[in-house]
Amino acid sequence: MNESFLVDLNCDLGESYGAYQLGNDEAILPFVTSANIACGFHAGDPAVMKKTVRLALQHHVAIGAHPGLPDLVGFGRREMAVSPEEAFDMTVYQIGALASFVKVEGGMLHHVKPHGALYNMAAVTPALAEAIAEAVYQVNPELVLYGLAGSALIQAGQKLGLRVANEVFADRTYQPDGTLTSRRLPNALLTSPQEAIQQVVRMVKEGKVRSLPGSDVAIQADTVCIHGDGAHAVAFAQQISQVLQNEEVRIQAPQPQPTA
């Protein structure tokens, strides 16, 4: 197997809340190598966090905190006018909540990946990106920071000396500047599993993605996000895992950055 082709498969999990059930976490965990677990602001609650952490540990999947904006009704996908200081505080708060469950269950927190609107805002707003990266660094400089490939968040993490993972998306379309097509626009999602898999293989092996207008964009793919709440999410996760292995791509979570 060619060791130059190495990628992580991550999935957003723990998104149920109270009586409301989202996704099929247990079924998808065998096919991913890292899990981003909601921390209660945009989704999840204490019971769901504990259960999801336990499931991830049982499947030997790297566990990450998935901090979002305090917007349960909008699932954290609506932008809010938060200051860098507020972004720092809510990131520290949510990492701490999940890290405590991980500790109680005998595991180690591996990474942090902002969710939804907070993720997209940090990708293009350096001040927010720096606040979030600083929050991660202050909590634990060994944590890996996941962010949109080539974004302001990745740059902020690198500046602090954090290990970063450039994230790409299996089922999202891209703009010529490397940003994701807004969910508010047509054609934001790839609905064909075959197209999504072809996009992932090309991003991993060639370092390129075809933008919506048709031009190729250079991209680094350290980790691939697979959404776990779709109707065919489990089958897709199984399929993409198998195709990558057939393409001689090793699937493994990013290794944490050791402290000096």
Side-chain angles (χ1 to χ4, degrees):
M1 184 172 290
N2 190 336
E3 290 297 330
S4 65
F5 297 133
L6 177 69
V7 76
D8 170 53
L9 292 182
N10 81 74
C11 188
D12 302 343
L13 300 177
E15 295 176 336
S16 299
Y17 182 81
Y20 300 95
Q21 299 297 307
L22 282 177
N24 193 344
D25 295 358
E26 190 166 6
I28 209 165
L29 276 165
F31 307 111
V32 299
T33 43
S34 65
N36 322 302
I37 300 178
C39 305
F41 271 36
H42 73 276
D45 61 33
V48 170
M49 290 165 70
K50 180 178 70 173
K51 178 182 177 181
T52 312
V53 166
R54 284 181 176 175
L55 286 172
L57 289 172
Q58 288 169 14
H59 287 86
H60 307 289
V61 170
I63 298 173
H66 200 32
L69 294 172
D71 179 22
L72 280 172
V73 172
F75 198 65
R77 288 178 175 162
R78 301 182 294 188
E79 289 193 3
M80 298 176 66
V82 296
S83 68
E85 184 177 7
E86 289 171 320
F88 176 92
D89 293 346
M90 66 177 65
T91 301
V92 170
Y93 184 98
Q94 292 176 81
I95 295 173
L98 189 73
S100 294
F101 280 111
V102 176
K103 181 178 179 180
V104 166
E105 297 299 326
M108 293 280 290
L109 191 66
H110 171 264
H111 67 275
V112 176
K113 172 190 164 182
H115 165 81
L118 184 62
Y119 179 98
N120 292 326
M121 291 159 61
V124 296
T125 310
L128 280 179
E130 290 164 8
I132 292 169
E134 183 68 29
V136 174
Y137 184 85
Q138 291 292 338
V139 171
N140 183 354
E142 295 186 27
L143 293 171
V144 183
L145 177 61
Y146 287 29
L148 184 68
S151 67
L153 185 59
I154 292 293
Q155 295 167 22
Q158 290 172 327
K159 185 177 179 181
L160 284 174
L162 286 168
R163 173 73 185 271
V164 297
N166 286 272
E167 183 178 41
V168 299
F169 288 77
D171 62 352
R172 296 290 299 275
T173 61
Y174 282 80
Q175 293 299 301
D177 62 356
T179 60
L180 299 174
T181 304
S182 170
R183 287 180 178 270
R184 295 189 297 270
L185 298 176
N187 302 316
L189 296 175
L190 290 176
T191 56
S192 163
Q194 288 72 31
E195 284 185 36
I197 289 171
Q198 289 172 5
Q199 174 167 283
V200 168
V201 171
R202 189 162 187 249
M203 288 190 289
V204 172
K205 298 188 73 171
E206 298 180 30
K208 295 178 182 178
V209 65
R210 183 67 51 86
S211 70
L212 202 54
S215 58
D216 277 346
V217 181
I219 199 163
Q220 181 172 337
D222 301 324
T223 183
V224 179
C225 180
I226 301 172
H227 288 113
D229 55 354
H232 308 291
V234 175
F236 179 75
Q238 184 175 12
Q239 188 178 3
I240 197 168
S241 175
Q242 187 60 58
V243 169
L244 287 171
Q245 292 178 67
N246 293 344
E247 291 282 340
E248 298 188 328
V249 176
R250 184 178 176 189
I251 304 172
Q252 176 183 299
Q255 298 304 298
Q257 177 73 43
T259 52

